Amino acid sequence: MKPAASAQEFEHRLRQIGADRYHDKHPFHDRLHGGHCTPDEVRAWVINRYYYQHSIPIKDAAFMSRVEDPDLRRIWRSRMEDHDGTDTNEGGIKRWLRLAQAVGLDPAYVQSREGIMPATKFAVDAYVRFVRDKTLLEAVAASLTELFAPAIHENRIKGLLQHYDFADDSSLSYFQNRLKEAPKDVAFGLQWVLDHADTAEKQDMAAAALEFKTDVLWAQLDALWNGYVEGRIPPGCWQPGDGLLLAKAS
């Protein structure tokens, strides 16, 4: 039986997964951040990404329902509050809907989750099931894509502000807040995985979980590219012109 890697070696392995596989390398993000997306491509991204945003607190609730350690539940609870909001924090979902309105979409349409691409549903729902059904170690490890998120948020804020009229502090507040929230979450999650992946087998399980999550993110962008850049929109998915605010539709 092979020995476990040191914590330093294992952390390097996890970070290398992000370097090789994180969705910041997908051409859709180059297109978006470089100002080359059409308004409808941006809207398709906002609509489909909302399904992911909507599902994150559901995923975290599924995780917490299996945790017997009250300290872990208490720490993890803040992730749900970051998305769902509290009395003093409007939450990421409302911030995402403000972005939707800024790009000309009716927030009620986006909230209805009509027109979501099949691949988006399959990928996101698979992530929720993964966290619900796999070991706690694998569930936490899958969240470690947050290690790589600050860089993409910084590039996104810079690129959107530079290239798109809808971009301002209000419409981009989701990404700006994640720059503060994600490092807190990932510092805990990374240390928890390093502490609990104490055998080579568990380290392999955690690494595979993180690879799975990168696949979830990548698959969503592949679908967007095929549907809205290449023009092969699947039946029943959002069509340009649908779900717009009246002022934008006129």
Side-chain angles (χ1 to χ4, degrees):
M1 185 172 64
K2 68 177 181 179
S6 69
Q8 183 178 11
E9 292 169 335
F10 183 49
E11 180 177 347
H12 175 76
R13 178 182 177 184
L14 295 174
R15 291 185 181 276
Q16 190 61 46
I17 291 171
D20 294 338
R21 302 170 63 106
Y22 191 54
H23 68 161
D24 60 338
K25 295 158 189 67
H26 197 284
F28 186 88
H29 280 150
D30 290 337
R31 186 176 180 89
L32 177 66
H33 301 167
H36 305 299
C37 278
T38 67
D40 284 331
E41 290 168 9
V42 175
R43 289 167 182 150
W45 169 65
V46 170
I47 289 168
N48 280 273
R49 176 63 185 255
Y50 176 79
Y51 190 74
Y52 177 78
Q53 303 301 144
H54 153 85
S55 299
I56 291 299
I58 297 173
K59 175 268 298 184
D60 288 325
F63 174 82
M64 288 177 60
S65 72
R66 302 167 55 218
V67 174
E68 297 184 6
D69 178 0
D71 290 333
L72 178 55
R73 287 199 304 269
R74 175 180 50 79
I75 292 169
W76 208 265
R77 190 182 307 132
S78 67
R79 294 170 180 255
M80 295 179 62
E81 293 172 349
D82 286 344
H83 283 81
D84 285 340
T86 65
D87 290 342
T88 58
N89 173 17
E90 65 178 337
I93 290 176
K94 286 188 177 180
R95 294 187 185 102
W96 194 267
L97 291 171
R98 193 156 61 244
L99 171 63
Q101 184 169 349
V103 303
L105 292 164
D106 184 344
Y109 175 83
V110 177
Q111 281 185 291
S112 75
R113 305 187 299 283
E114 295 179 19
I116 302 296
M117 304 188 80
T120 301
K121 291 181 181 178
F122 288 139
V124 174
D125 291 350
Y127 180 39
V128 175
R129 288 194 301 271
F130 185 95
V131 171
R132 183 192 66 201
D133 297 340
K134 294 289 188 176
T135 66
L136 295 184
L137 174 61
E138 290 168 294
V140 176
S143 76
L144 293 183
T145 49
E146 293 170 339
L147 280 168
F148 324 118
I152 198 172
H153 290 327
E154 289 175 355
N155 289 337
R156 182 170 294 149
I157 291 168
K158 180 179 178 181
L160 297 183
L161 285 171
Q162 180 177 354
H163 296 295
Y164 299 94
D165 291 341
F166 69 80
D168 56 27
D169 287 342
S170 177
S171 62
L172 302 186
S173 62
Y174 172 83
F175 308 111
Q176 293 163 340
N177 274 271
R178 288 308 293 163
L179 287 174
K180 297 178 289 185
E181 294 166 350
K184 163 184 62 71
D185 292 340
V186 79
F188 172 81
L190 176 60
Q191 191 60 54
W192 198 92
V193 169
L194 294 177
D195 289 343
H196 288 78
D198 53 3
T199 67
E201 180 183 14
K202 290 179 180 179
Q203 289 176 344
D204 288 345
M205 289 169 56
L210 182 54
E211 289 178 351
F212 165 79
K213 177 64 180 304
T214 63
D215 290 344
V216 166
L217 297 172
W218 198 276
Q220 294 176 70
L221 294 179
D222 273 352
L224 277 173
W225 188 278
N226 185 67
Y228 294 96
V229 178
E230 298 291 341
R232 292 184 288 271
I233 303 173
C237 295
W238 178 75
Q239 293 287 338
D242 291 347
L244 300 184
L245 292 168
L246 292 178
K248 295 289 185 180
S250 60

